[in-house]
Amino acid sequence: MRNETKHNYISSMDVKDEKGNILGAVCVSPAKELGKRDIILMDEASGSFSVRSTTELINMLSKKNVPFEERRHVLDFLADRLRYLEQEITVNTLKSINDAKKKKK
């Protein structure tokens, strides 16, 4: 979700079936290991699953009969969220490098 004055991002989105019922949610967050991401499918019926890739997630959603358009929305969400997280890491890394250079002086 974006705002005109500043960027606001959410880390999860609902996944719906053909009738618009919520099947669960997809979550993307930084992992414990620096530079890594966790992609999680939280299924209402069968619990939560960590997935290794967007392809694996989309295949799981296909098996759960999530409509094509909904899977496209999930891919768009993942792309935006991953892009945001990469930018955040880059900014924080550059800030750390600049702070380290200032301390050396």
Side-chain angles (χ1 to χ4, degrees), residues 4 32 59:
E4 292 287 328
K32 290 180 185 178
N59 288 336

Side-chain angles (χ1 to χ4, degrees), residues 38-72:
D38 285 331
I39 301 172
I40 302 165
L41 173 60
M42 299 175 288
D43 189 305
E44 278 286 326
S46 57
S48 297
F49 303 92
S50 178
V51 295
R52 294 179 298 259
S53 68
T54 54
T55 304
E56 183 180 9
L57 175 63
I58 295 305
N59 288 336
M60 289 176 79
L61 295 176
S62 294
K63 288 177 185 175
K64 295 178 181 296
N65 296 320
V66 172
F68 178 77
E69 282 300 315
E70 185 71 10
R71 286 180 276 153
R72 283 186 56 201

Side-chain angles (χ1 to χ4, degrees), residues 4-58:
E4 292 287 328
T5 55
K6 70 177 192 177
H7 294 278
N8 292 323
Y9 289 90
I10 57 172
S11 59
S12 67
M13 71 167 284
D14 292 339
V15 177
K16 300 176 183 176
D17 66 12
E18 296 163 343
K19 297 177 184 176
N21 299 322
I22 296 176
L23 294 172
V26 172
C27 175
V28 182
S29 64
K32 290 180 185 178
E33 197 173 326
L34 185 63
K36 302 271 184 164
R37 303 289 168 258
D38 285 331
I39 301 172
I40 302 165
L41 173 60
M42 299 175 288
D43 189 305
E44 278 286 326
S46 57
S48 297
F49 303 92
S50 178
V51 295
R52 294 179 298 259
S53 68
T54 54
T55 304
E56 183 180 9
L57 175 63
I58 295 305

